Amino acid sequence: MAFSDERGQYNGRVTLLLVLSCVVAASGGLIFGYDLGVSGGVTSMDPFLKKFFPNVYRRMKENTKISNYCKFDSQLLTLFTSSLYLSGLISSFFASTVTRTFGRKASMLVAGIAVLIGSALGGAASNIYMLVFGRIFLGIGLGFGNQSIPVYISEMALPKHRGAMNIIFDGGVGIGVLIANVINFFTAKIDGGWGWRISLSMAAVPASILALGAIILPDTPNSLIENNNNQEKAKRVLQRIRGTTDVQKELDDLIKASSVSKTVKDPFKKILQRKYRPQLVMAVAIPCFAQMTGINVITFYAPVLFRTIGQHESSSLLSAVVIRCFNVSFTFISMFVVDKYGRRVLFMLGGIQMLASQITIGGFMTALFGDHGALSKGSAYVVIVLICIYISGFGLSWGPLGWLIPSEIYPLEIRSAGQSISVSVYFLFCFLVGQTFLAMLCHMKAGIFFFFGGWVAVMTTFVYFLLPETKNVPIEKIEQLWKEHWFWRRFVGDEHDDNIYKLDK
């Protein structure tokens, strides 16, 4: 297959090495998803709560006067979940330097090792301090992995398959959450109450795959040229992953992009310049919006949420498995259609679907679910169906595209800085939503679904007017899209240079 477009022409086909590289790299998504899913599951297990959060356990079991929405409201409990994202936020800035200086593989290796340490601490935890320190190491791993892996996949993939290849990462996230929910369902049944240790330690499996892959796999041609200016080695790697010897056109573009990149001494300062305004806005807005969809209501606390509406421990874990199956299925549907129909279409479809389902859930629970007691069995099933519709919309749109878009829009000279900002913003809002959700649930009750639904309306409008379509455009040619956009061209047009930017300041 040959890629042909008015912005460039690259030769290549999908090779085994390309697929293997992307799949192994996407095991980082499996780590991320597993850590997202496992925390909500173990915090709904009675033995885990009794050992580490006895006050929450007593409120849940003994105090019938507390509102259904407030039984799990504990800042210590949310710290267990959100400490991972705080450490991921901080580590992502260090990851930017490592990725830019030592290559994408180096960051991936650090990610694998940090997660191995974190899973060991979590599985062996005897007190809350070990538990939180384990989560901190997991966060370090995710900070390095999420900063480098989407960039690695985008740089390795052919332009016409970049969307599908990158969505493998989010597919890994979805599968990781699903696996975590399944493991939680079975470990909760283990006699003796120690099943949560298995749940927390199993993150070591995908971490081992990532660490081994980082040792064996080649680095991207972009990274080889950027770090070592090893054009011959970059050409050999490019020929291997493209399955052809005719790669000179693509190699020339990579060398040109690298020469521009080497003139940049401080990429974080560079990205603040006026001509990079659209990339900076997207670096902040896309990961922020991805979290404000309300997905954390489901991913972090699905079992807790289902226990809130009156389900038992086993039923709540099983319900979490069911809704995650829907998410994974629609993520893979997104993978197969994103390069055919484009990013914007999926954003619109998913946004409408999420908005409609959130408003319906909020209205349904407001009408039928009070502060005490439980939903009827039939009503609980209706809520589960509505959540499945919501999470299917997320799996089709903001789930995979929230990682894909930031990984493909930055020119090489600001790529590591831009991706670092995106990951940092993502983790910041993960932390904020994770730390405040249970308190928000307690005070806003069913209104929390209207709150996140309003944000979905805002972000869908934002994408419609401000995000250009990037499908099938080579990663080093995407800058031209901003120059042609009705709004962003006023910032990135040729007439604006650094001197004008300084005058604006």
Side-chain angles (χ1 to χ4, degrees), residues 96-125:
S96 173
T97 302
V98 173
T99 301
R100 180 179 172 87
T101 305
F102 301 102
R104 288 47 166 159
K105 282 180 51 175
S107 285
M108 290 162 58
L109 181 60
V110 172
I113 294 173
V115 173
L116 283 171
I117 296 172
S119 59
L121 284 171

Side-chain angles (χ1 to χ4, degrees), residues 1-14 154-162 222 238 242-257 415 472-478:
M1 291 178 290
F3 172 80
S4 181
D5 185 89
E6 62 183 10
R7 296 183 177 89
Q9 180 176 341
Y10 298 157
N11 296 313
R13 59 185 175 84
V14 177
S154 288
E155 291 181 346
M156 293 289 274
L158 279 163
K160 69 179 299 181
H161 301 129
R162 187 176 62 244
N222 314 60
L238 199 57
R242 297 290 180 255
T244 178
T245 57
D246 186 11
V247 296
Q248 194 60 46
K249 171 63 178 175
E250 185 173 3
L251 182 65
D252 289 342
D253 283 343
L254 297 183
I255 294 172
K256 181 180 179 181
R415 190 167 298 158
N472 292 344
V473 181
I475 194 170
E476 304 300 349
K477 301 288 185 179
I478 285 180

Side-chain angles (χ1 to χ4, degrees), residues 110-159:
V110 172
I113 294 173
V115 173
L116 283 171
I117 296 172
S119 59
L121 284 171
S126 59
N127 53 58
I128 191 66
Y129 301 106
M130 287 183 67
L131 204 61
V132 171
F133 272 113
R135 297 289 286 179
I136 289 173
F137 272 99
L138 291 176
I140 293 172
L142 295 183
F144 275 84
N146 291 6
Q147 202 277 342
S148 57
I149 291 171
V151 171
Y152 181 90
I153 296 174
S154 288
E155 291 181 346
M156 293 289 274
L158 279 163

Side-chain angles (χ1 to χ4, degrees), residues 220-257:
T220 68
N222 314 60
S223 183
L224 292 171
I225 295 174
E226 182 184 30
N227 297 327
N228 306 314
N229 199 27
N230 194 334
Q231 298 180 15
E232 284 302 316
K233 185 175 182 180
K235 184 175 182 178
R236 290 195 300 271
V237 171
L238 199 57
Q239 290 172 339
R240 289 175 62 197
I241 62 175
R242 297 290 180 255
T244 178
T245 57
D246 186 11
V247 296
Q248 194 60 46
K249 171 63 178 175
E250 185 173 3
L251 182 65
D252 289 342
D253 283 343
L254 297 183
I255 294 172
K256 181 180 179 181

Side-chain angles (χ1 to χ4, degrees), residues 49 163 178 197 406:
L49 289 175
L178 175 60
R197 295 188 183 275

Side-chain angles (χ1 to χ4, degrees), residues 115-351:
V115 173
L116 283 171
I117 296 172
S119 59
L121 284 171
S126 59
N127 53 58
I128 191 66
Y129 301 106
M130 287 183 67
L131 204 61
V132 171
F133 272 113
R135 297 289 286 179
I136 289 173
F137 272 99
L138 291 176
I140 293 172
L142 295 183
F144 275 84
N146 291 6
Q147 202 277 342
S148 57
I149 291 171
V151 171
Y152 181 90
I153 296 174
S154 288
E155 291 181 346
M156 293 289 274
L158 279 163
K160 69 179 299 181
H161 301 129
R162 187 176 62 244
M165 290 291 188
N166 218 299
I167 288 178
I168 292 174
F169 176 79
D170 190 71
V173 175
I175 293 173
V177 177
L178 175 60
I179 291 173
N181 290 333
V182 171
I183 290 176
N184 284 336
F185 177 74
F186 286 105
T187 57
K189 300 177 180 295
I190 295 176
D191 293 335
W194 53 271
W196 59 268
R197 295 188 183 275
I198 296 176
S199 295
L200 293 180
S201 61
M202 286 296 289
V205 176
S208 300
I209 297 174
L210 179 63
L212 184 62
I215 295 172
I216 296 175
L217 293 175
D219 214 336
T220 68
N222 314 60
S223 183
L224 292 171
I225 295 174
E226 182 184 30
N227 297 327
N228 306 314
N229 199 27
N230 194 334
Q231 298 180 15
E232 284 302 316
K233 185 175 182 180
K235 184 175 182 178
R236 290 195 300 271
V237 171
L238 199 57
Q239 290 172 339
R240 289 175 62 197
I241 62 175
R242 297 290 180 255
T244 178
T245 57
D246 186 11
V247 296
Q248 194 60 46
K249 171 63 178 175
E250 185 173 3
L251 182 65
D252 289 342
D253 283 343
L254 297 183
I255 294 172
K256 181 180 179 181
S258 178
S259 64
V260 174
S261 174
K262 290 185 187 318
T263 64
V264 179
K265 298 186 181 300
D266 189 345
F268 284 99
K269 184 177 180 180
K270 184 78 171 178
I271 200 173
L272 296 177
Q273 293 183 0
R274 183 184 177 94
K275 66 178 180 179
Y276 298 118
R277 193 65 48 81
Q279 290 96 332
L280 179 61
V281 170
M282 295 301 165
V284 175
I286 295 296
C288 166
F289 285 153
Q291 288 307 301
M292 297 310 292
T293 57
I295 187 60
N296 286 337
V297 175
I298 307 302
T299 304
F300 289 178
Y301 300 112
V304 171
L305 184 64
F306 290 130
R307 294 202 74 175
T308 294
I309 64 174
Q311 289 192 330
H312 297 296
E313 177 183 327
S314 181
S315 298
S316 68
L317 291 172
L318 183 60
S319 298
V321 172
V322 172
I323 64 169
R324 186 49 55 179
C325 287
F326 276 86
N327 179 69
V328 171
S329 299
F330 276 80
T331 297
F332 280 98
I333 290 174
S334 178
M335 181 178 70
F336 285 111
V337 301
V338 66
D339 289 316
K340 182 177 181 180
Y341 297 105
R343 285 65 162 153
R344 285 166 50 84
V345 170
L346 297 184
F347 271 128
M348 296 302 106
L349 291 176

